[in-house]
């Protein structure tokens, strides 16, 4: 009887742990606002090229390890900086918040960033997408032109930007 009780308990714990991992941390699914699970990262971040982006994570007590990653590269783990990029700085590492800042954001910084947290020996992750916008700019436009009535004419206007701008003629 004693053996049964001894075997039963860890098995039950294991099942509960597996279920918690299964239901609370669907890996790769972005955490939405209103989601009650922790860690909780902010929603997707949209910044303009040249601005600073803040990646914020709200944590609870019992968190033993925290890190922010750019794809699979660790940027910060706790107070330690792992990347060489001088634009990446630690903003706060407190009991409730773990945030980093990316300064002078450029288009190649766009993509998924992941925060990884260890609570009670359970690793959890949540993901946020950094979206970089670039102001629309006209790079090429037809010059003034005179033509005879009845002739066809093509006018060109090429613009760049993110998201891709729509060009209209009046
Ligand atoms: C994130 O990763 C991309 C792809 O490796 C890289 O081009 C970019 O500089 C990185 N940005 C930061 C802030 O680490
Ligand atoms: C965040 O951005 C990614 C990629 O653009 C998108 O798939 C995802 O739905 C976005 N999540 C939220 C919460 O807006
Ligand atoms: C002008 O374009 C129309 C449509 O493409 C064509 O049918 C017509 O022949 C063209 N006119 C001239 C003068 O090139």
């Amino acid at each position: 009887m004693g053996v049964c009780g001894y075997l039963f308990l860890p098995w039950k714990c294991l099942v509960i742990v597996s279920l918690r991992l299964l239901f609370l941390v669907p890996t790769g699914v972005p955490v939405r606002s209103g989601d009650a699970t922790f860690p909780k990262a902010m929603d997707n971040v949209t910044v303009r090229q040249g601005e600073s982006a803040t990646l914020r994570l709200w944590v609870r007590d019992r968190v033993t390890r925290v890190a922010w990653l750019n794809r699979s590269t660790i940027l910060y783990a706790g107070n330690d900086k792992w990347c060489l990029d001088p634009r990446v700085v630690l903003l706060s590492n407190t009991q409730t918040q773990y945030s980093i800042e990316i300064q002078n954001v450029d288009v190649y910084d766009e993509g998924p960033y992941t925060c990884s947290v260890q609570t009670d020996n359970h690793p959890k992750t949540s993901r946020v997408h950094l979206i970089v916008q670039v102001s629309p700019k006209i790079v090429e436009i037809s010059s003034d032109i005179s033509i005879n009535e009845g002739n066809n004419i093509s006018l060109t206007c090429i613009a760049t930007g993110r998201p891709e701008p729509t060009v209209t003629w009046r």
Side-chain angles (χ1 to χ4, degrees):
M1 290 301 163
V3 173
C4 265
Y6 174 77
L7 285 176
F8 183 64
L9 194 61
W11 172 245
K12 199 171 148 192
C13 288
L14 195 68
V15 170
I16 290 167
V17 166
S18 316
L19 287 177
R20 284 175 72 181
L21 286 174
L22 213 68
F23 291 124
L24 296 180
V25 248
T27 42
V29 175
V31 173
R32 287 166 192 85
S33 59
D35 194 322
T37 61
F38 278 82
K40 181 167 168 7
M42 59 201 305
D43 290 331
N44 288 347
V45 197
T46 304
V47 292
R48 286 185 179 275
Q49 186 182 38
E51 289 181 350
S52 295
T54 303
L55 304 181
R56 233 179 268 283
L57 168 73
W58 286 277
V59 289
R60 286 196 298 205
D61 40 311
R62 302 207 311 277
V63 164
T64 48
R65 284 182 200 180
V66 276
W68 269 108
L69 291 83
N70 174 7
R71 294 170 183 89
S72 55
T73 308
I74 298 174
L75 300 176
Y76 260 97
N79 288 323
D80 300 325
K81 187 172 178 177
W82 283 51
C83 69
L84 296 173
D85 196 330
R87 302 173 305 136
V88 180
V89 296
L90 182 66
L91 280 189
S92 69
N93 181 9
T94 66
Q95 286 292 93
T96 53
Q97 202 189 107
Y98 185 59
S99 305
I100 61 165
E101 184 179 63
I102 303 167
Q103 297 163 344
N104 194 15
V105 163
D106 211 334
V107 288
Y108 52 75
D109 294 320
E110 183 166 298
Y113 289 78
T114 307
C115 58
S116 169
V117 167
Q118 187 127 333
T119 315
D120 297 339
N121 289 322
H122 301 154
K124 295 180 178 182
T125 61
S126 89
R127 185 178 285 186
V128 25
H129 280 263
L130 177 64
I131 295 153
V132 182
Q133 294 188 335
V134 181
S135 307
K137 192 169 72 179
I138 292 172
V139 291
E140 194 187 320
I141 187 156
S142 301
S143 40
D144 294 348
I145 189 165
S146 310
I147 54 148
N148 294 325
E149 192 179 351
N151 282 355
N152 288 340
I153 184 175
S154 335
L155 298 173
T156 310
C157 176
I158 299 170
T160 57
R162 284 161 76 108
E164 202 167 299
T166 30
V167 177
T168 55
W169 282 95
R170 283 189 294 167

